[in-house]
Structures are given as C-alpha cells and as structure tokens.
Amino acid sequence: MQSRALRPVLATYTALFLLFLYGPMIVLAILSFQGPEGGPQFPIQEWSVYWYKHLLGFAGTSRVSQLPVGDSLLRSIALAFMTTVVSTVLGVMSAEAFRTRFKGSGPAFYLIILGMMVPGVLVGLGMALLSNTLGLSRAWWSTSFVLHVVYTYPFAFLVMLAIFNRFDRSVEEASLSLGVSPAQTFRRVTFPIIFPGVLSAMLFSFTLSYDEFARTLFTAGRALTLPLAIYGTFSVEIHPNIFAFGVLTTLFSFTLLVVYGLLMKRFTARAARFHGQEES
Amino acid sequence: MLYDLELISVGKTYPDGTVAVSDFDLRVEKGEFVAFLGPSGCGKSTTLRMIAGFEEITNGEILMMSHNVTHVPPEKRPTSMIFQNYALFPHMTVRENVAFGLDVKGTPRAERDRKVERILDMFDLTAFADRKADRLSGGQRQRIALARGLVVEPEILLLDEPLGALDANLRRIIQNELKLLQRELGITFIFVTHAQSEALGLSDRVVVMSNGVVEQISPPRELYRRPATPFVAGFIGSNTLIEGAPLGAAAAGFGRLDTPVGVIEGVGRGDERLAVIPAEAFRLVPQGTPGELHLPGTVVGRHLVGAVGHLTVRLADGSDVAVETSSHRPEVRALAPGMPVTLGVDPASVTLVHA
C-alpha cells in the first residue's frame, strides 16, 4: 500500500546511488578520449584515442613523458598473483581446521581476523620499522608480500568459513566409508564441491592485493607497485594518459569479473541441484 | 562362534559429560539383519556412527570379524554406510558415483567396469548411468546410494534411516527390495530407524534403545510377545500396563500380581510389579471361562475398522484399556458404550516386567 508513494523515492535514491557510484568512472572514461592538446578536465578539445596510443608508446614524440607504469604493472600483477595463491591456500586450510572446535580456536579466529581490521598505514609503518631494526631490505616481493597476505588471508578465510558452514559433511563421510583416504576424499569430493568458494576467495585476494596502497607505501622499497607508481605521477602533473590507463585497468578488472562470473555460473548451477538433493 | 560384529560394553560420553550411549553389548552373526529402533535422540544413530568409525568411542570395544577396530579410522573398516540424505557426490554422474570407491582404490579398469555395470544393472540404474546423480528421483537416488555402498563389497552394511526421506509407497517397495537384497548377498545389515514397522518387518533381531541404553534385543515377535522393560511394553505395539504388588510365583514360569483390577497371572518370576497385556490378547468372554483371567469392565468406546474392532473398556479401577478384536463376531457388533463386558486373558500371553 505504501509502495506506490515509496516507489519514485526509491527510484530516485537508486539512481543517485548509481550515479555517485559510477560517476567518477564515467568522467574518467570520457576524459580519456581527450585530444592531444587537451588537459585532464573538461571541455573535451577534440575526441581521439591519442592518450591510449601515448600510453602504449605509439604516439611519437610528445611534450608529455610516457607514463612509467609498465614495470610496476607487472610487479602488481605478480604480487597479486602470489598473494592470491598463498592467501587462498591458507584460507582454505584454516577454514577446514575451524570446522571442528579445537583448543584456542576462539583466540585464533580473532587473531586471523585482526589482519583485515588493523589500519593499513600503521601496519605498513610497523613493518618498515621492523625490517629496519632487523636490517632487512624492503621489497614488494618480501615485506609488502607478507603484509598483503596478512591483509587478504582473513577475507579468504571468512569466505571459506561461510562455504564450509553450509557444507554437508555426510558427503565426505560417504567417501570415507567407501574406503577412500581423507586426503583423496578432500581432493576428489570436498574440493570440487567447495570450488566456487575457492574462486571467490581468490577474487577477493587478487583485487585487494592488486590495488593495495597503504601497506605497500612503506614496505615496497625502491621498486614500486602500480598504485604507488600512479600516485607518484600525480605529484608531477596530471595528463589524460592516466585516465586512459584507468580505463584499461578497469577493463582488466572487468575481464577478471566476467571469468569469475562464468565459472561461478557453471558451478552454482550444480550447487543448486545439489541443494535439491537434501530437501527432497 | 565367529561374529561379524561385536560391541562390548560400548559407550560414548561427550566432553561436557552428556552420556550419548552406555554399555551397549551386541553380537551379530554373519548375514544377520539387525535393526536399531528407538525414539529420536535415543543414541541409535550415534551407535551406528561409532560402528562406522565417525564417532569416537569413550568406553568399550568394537570387533569386526574378531579384529579390534575400536581405533581404526572409518576408511579402514570393512563397513559401508548408507545415509538418510543419500550423500551422493553432486559433481559426478551416477556411474562415477558408483565407481568412485573402486576407482580410488585402484581396482583394475576391466574388473571395476564389470562390477560397476553388474551392480548398475542389479539396481536398474543402467538407463540413468550417465546422468548427474542429483537429477534423479528419491527412489533412484536411494538405489544409487545402495549401489555405491555395496559395490565395494563391505562385510557389514550400515543404514542410517535410509527410507526416511521416501514417501510411504516407495518406502514399502524399497523395504521389500532391501530384504531380498540382504538375503541374496548374505551381508550383515545394521539398520537404524525410528519406524516400528520397518524394524519389525525387516530385521532378524531388533535392538530397542531409549536414552542411550539398550532396553531389549530380541527377534521382532519376541518384542511383541515378551517385552522386557516398561519402555518396550509402552513403545512396541499397543499394550495395557497394569501395576500391582508381587504375590510370588504361581505355576512354573508364572507369577502373580495383586492389582487394583484383581489378581493377574502372567509369565514371570513373581517379583515383578507390572503386568503387560497386548491389546490383541483380550477376548470378550462369558464370566467363568476356565483357565482365563477375568477383568470386568464397561465399554466406553467402539470403533470398527474393517475386520478389526477397536474397543475401549473401562476397568473396575477406572483405567481404560485398548482391546482389539474381530469385528465380524455378532457379540462385538452388538456392543454399545455403557454395556458391561468381561475381558478374558490367557495368562500365557501376559508378561510380567520389573517396573
């Protein structure tokens, strides 16, 4: 009865919400097609893909130096990949451990979760001081990597915990009672069933690590990751090439999401059918 | 005597002190069909899971084929378990489900295929063999679960309420199939259920449990005829329980009990305090029929269902008893509420139990 009056209000609210959510991205995308003489603001001087060419080094000589992102992009992808693998493995293993109550499981749970709660700047600073004290050099693949794992592992852990929460243990028991070892049972029964969760855990770990800033800032040493490199260019002068890069990296993220979505679709269709088994 | 399965005062106490099962003693011969029967929470499923190895045992020992398996993990026990929800592997086809156990154990391909095809055929599953297991009906999934559990050739098949999720019709069909299957294979079956009809209809022996304790282990007929405890008397069939004071032994094997409705004689030693009379043991008799107990009463309810007449008769002390009798007899048809009757009972069908 209220819905008639409420509907336009909710529609406006949703529209505004979406506008603010995607507004910055849309502005960024539009400005990336600025002409060679244009700056990082409106109006658009002329529509062109000049800055994309510039970014990839096909623009010839230019008044603006090329965006120094090539190496840092590779670093960030490598770091995100390493983090994803380690965090997901740790997350799956510890969530598996938490399926049964063990002594100290309460404190252990909060210690894991702490990794995503503590302010990144502080942990980053702490890590920098620690490595200084110990005389260790800082690098994206060592000190930053550790902090990235500490940060993303709780997310992977929580995702897997939720997955195991709904997991029907009798399927594993059925396997064991057929004479299959626990290790084989995990590999051939448990893992295929929890795989959608593993995929989500991986996505979380990857995206969180890929654009992590605060923790990396103090711990990456000389070789910068992508977010640091981009931030570095802001301190000189901003040109539309950075928007072009923003668009490309967003497209990269979308590709990841699409792959994730497709894989999920395949597996959740199966999970839905599986659910029917228990209810009927 | 070699037993397939021996439980020697098996018990389980949870860390918080709750006792799930205590002092469970059972010896099962090869090829026997044993049912665990009891209300939910009585410990029957826990006991089954202890036999399978999924629950730790805190007291006693379990032996299989004379080997102590008390601390042997589930995958190394010669048992196979069938779950109430079937627990099929959702990511595999019917054939993959059935072949799984043999597959992982590295059975040679030819032998595996032969066994799998044979059992698929036996359970009428060949037509669906390449479908995903969860796309099939309840009865079919039940068969897949059985095929999967049996193809690995267990010595003992454990069934945890395997018919609970099926509708009544299907349950009857699969019940019959189970019985035939067990006869055919000669495998020991341990079957957990809370449905009397399943336990009594299928098994060679029934273990009645309540509150984690074994109340009685008997063939189904014995449970009806000679309940050993007040719980069994109240749980199985439809019995009238009359309390009284023991009067000692009467003839050999018989005891007497002084109850508010008169002296009752029944099978026992004479030191019991409870007489158990099955509803079908009551007969309507003229006063003074020799060799019978006579309990005078008044008809308060009459309910004829087909060939069976269910009467409710109020005895002298005001208690109501259920009486089952043939509805074809004219004197039963003539009965109306308020009419006096005499119930006759053969003392041999009365059981005296300790309250």
Side-chain angles (χ1 to χ4, degrees):
Chain A
M1 53 175 182
Q2 286 180 331
S3 71
R4 189 162 299 166
L6 215 55
R7 196 167 287 169
V9 179
L10 281 176
T12 316
Y13 175 80
T14 309
L16 280 176
F17 178 83
L18 288 177
L19 184 67
F20 279 102
L21 190 65
Y22 292 109
M25 233 148 73
I26 293 164
V27 170
L28 189 131
I30 294 171
L31 284 176
S32 72
F33 293 102
Q34 178 71 283
E37 302 309 315
Q41 67 271 316
F42 290 102
I44 298 284
Q45 306 279 331
E46 109 190 69
W47 293 99
S48 83
V49 290
Y50 173 80
W51 293 109
Y52 287 90
K53 284 190 199 158
H54 184 275
L55 186 72
L56 300 170
F58 298 140
T61 50
S62 163
R63 65 185 166 91
V64 178
S65 56
Q66 211 191 327
L67 202 63
V69 290
D71 290 343
S72 54
L73 175 67
L74 289 180
R75 264 179 231 124
S76 268
I77 290 178
L79 177 58
F81 184 74
M82 285 157 57
T83 308
T84 301
V85 171
V86 174
S87 286
T88 308
V89 170
L90 280 177
V92 172
M93 278 169 38
S94 39
E96 173 84 40
F98 272 85
R99 290 172 73 185
T100 45
R101 285 275 152 267
F102 56 88
K103 215 173 178 184
S105 61
F109 177 83
Y110 288 106
L111 277 178
I112 295 173
I113 298 308
L114 202 61
M116 65 185 226
M117 305 294 278
V118 286
V121 182
L122 290 185
V123 194
L125 197 57
M127 184 57 134
L129 292 173
L130 182 72
S131 56
N132 258 0
T133 316
L134 297 175
L136 300 169
S137 60
R138 287 167 282 163
W140 61 270
W141 48 266
S142 60
T143 37
S144 292
F145 170 59
V146 170
L147 284 191
H148 278 219
V149 170
V150 168
Y151 175 48
T152 57
Y153 158 47
F155 287 93
F157 168 67
L158 286 181
V159 169
M160 292 320 297
L161 212 58
I163 294 290
F164 278 127
N165 227 346
R166 299 189 331 187
F167 188 82
D168 178 12
R169 190 181 281 272
S170 66
V171 182
E172 288 174 319
E173 290 179 341
S175 170
L176 292 174
S177 102
L178 292 172
V180 178
S181 68
Q184 285 277 28
T185 296
F186 182 81
R187 199 174 74 76
R188 308 233 356 216
V189 175
T190 314
F191 191 77
I193 298 175
I194 62 168
F195 188 68
V198 175
L199 222 51
S200 303
M202 287 172 71
L203 185 77
F204 267 116
S205 305
F206 193 93
T207 50
L208 286 172
S209 164
Y210 183 61
D211 74 347
E212 212 292 323
F213 185 80
R215 288 166 180 80
T216 328
L217 180 62
F218 296 105
T219 54
R222 229 171 266 276
L224 301 180
T225 61
L226 187 64
L228 296 182
I230 290 178
Y231 184 71
T233 65
F234 293 170
S235 56
V236 192
E237 199 184 346
I238 296 178
H239 298 288
N241 56 356
I242 207 153
F243 301 143
F245 181 73
V247 169
L248 290 184
T249 190
T250 307
L251 284 180
F252 171 68
S253 303
F254 271 139
T255 315
L256 275 187
L257 262 180
V258 168
V259 170
Y260 167 80
L262 289 176
L263 286 172
M264 273 309 253
K265 205 175 154 191
R266 261 190 65 193
F267 283 93
T268 45
R270 174 182 298 167
R273 296 205 306 268
F274 176 49
H275 207 63
Q277 160 173 317
E278 287 160 76
E279 276 168 357
S280 59
Chain B
M1 180 72 211
L2 275 181
Y3 293 101
D4 241 20
L5 174 67
E6 288 171 80
L7 279 75
I8 301 164
S9 57
V10 167
K12 180 172 182 71
T13 309
Y14 287 109
D16 65 357
T18 321
V19 178
V21 177
S22 60
D23 282 328
F24 199 116
D25 276 297
L26 178 69
R27 287 193 160 78
V28 182
E29 287 174 24
K30 173 122 207 86
E32 215 181 340
F33 197 133
V34 176
F36 293 178
L37 175 66
S40 56
C42 72
K44 56 190 192 300
S45 280
T46 309
T47 309
L48 192 79
R49 292 174 58 79
M50 289 196 284
I51 297 173
F54 296 130
E55 295 278 350
E56 235 181 288
I57 297 164
T58 48
N59 294 305
E61 289 182 333
I62 295 182
L63 275 64
M64 287 174 189
M65 276 79 70
S66 307
H67 293 289
N68 191 332
V69 298
T70 312
H71 300 293
V72 172
E75 70 272 16
K76 301 218 168 79
R77 296 189 186 197
T79 55
S80 205
M81 186 150 158
I82 309 296
F83 295 81
Q84 180 173 16
N85 67 351
Y86 319 125
L88 300 178
F89 307 128
H91 53 297
M92 299 182 193
T93 63
V94 173
R95 181 178 279 111
E96 285 166 345
N97 261 279
V98 174
F100 182 70
L102 296 175
D103 224 8
V104 177
K105 273 190 224 161
T107 313
R109 177 185 282 257
E111 185 190 343
R112 182 199 70 192
D113 288 349
R114 188 171 47 78
K115 284 183 176 172
V116 169
E117 292 312 320
R118 197 181 57 199
I119 205 143
L120 284 174
D121 187 47
M122 183 171 157
F123 283 92
D124 283 331
L125 291 166
T126 313
F128 325 104
D130 294 310
R131 285 210 233 157
K132 282 277 194 298
D134 39 17
R135 281 281 171 88
L136 301 169
S137 72
Q140 286 162 343
R141 282 182 293 179
Q142 178 63 72
R143 287 199 190 92
I144 301 167
L146 280 168
R148 184 182 67 178
L150 285 168
V151 79
V152 295
E153 292 166 2
E155 302 287 342
I156 304 169
L157 192 71
L158 307 171
L159 304 106
D160 188 6
E161 306 240 5
L163 310 180
L166 302 174
D167 62 65
N169 246 338
L170 208 51
R171 195 176 309 169
R172 226 179 347 265
I173 294 170
I174 297 207
Q175 212 168 313
N176 289 334
E177 286 181 2
L178 266 184
K179 187 74 203 160
L180 286 173
L181 185 71
Q182 196 260 346
R183 286 266 157 77
E184 211 168 297
L185 299 172
I187 296 177
T188 304
F189 273 39
I190 310 284
F191 185 99
V192 160
T193 180
H194 64 265
Q196 267 188 54
S197 62
E198 277 173 30
L200 301 173
L202 285 170
S203 57
D204 300 319
R205 277 195 296 163
V206 181
V207 179
V208 182
M209 294 183 72
S210 94
N211 288 323
V213 179
V214 174
E215 294 276 343
Q216 185 170 357
I217 304 179
S218 298
R221 224 179 112 66
E222 279 295 298
L223 281 185
Y224 269 118
R225 281 170 39 87
R226 298 284 170 238
T229 66
F231 176 82
V232 177
F235 189 67
I236 306 281
S238 152
N239 294 309
T240 296
L241 279 63
I242 301 171
E243 277 187 73
L247 290 176
F254 285 86
R256 283 149 62 83
L257 206 60
D258 183 22
T259 73
V261 294
V263 173
I264 292 181
E265 200 175 312
V267 175
R269 286 207 307 267
D271 56 350
E272 297 88 351
R273 300 190 153 272
L274 195 66
V276 181
I277 310 172
E280 60 274 15
F282 286 114
R283 300 188 301 127
L284 301 176
V285 294
Q287 194 101 35
T289 311
E292 300 243 348
L293 298 173
H294 295 113
L295 303 172
T298 317
V299 176
V300 293
R302 197 191 71 149
H303 188 60
L304 303 181
V305 183
V308 184
H310 297 273
L311 299 178
T312 309
V313 174
R314 185 157 294 160
L315 298 183
D317 67 337
S319 61
D320 289 344
V321 301
V323 178
E324 264 177 48
T325 172
S326 162
S327 64
H328 293 313
R329 291 164 53 192
E331 69 267 32
V332 175
R333 297 196 151 280
L335 283 176
M339 286 170 69
V341 286
T342 301
L343 298 177
V345 183
D346 180 359
S349 56
V350 177
T351 309
L352 304 183
V353 301
H354 290 276

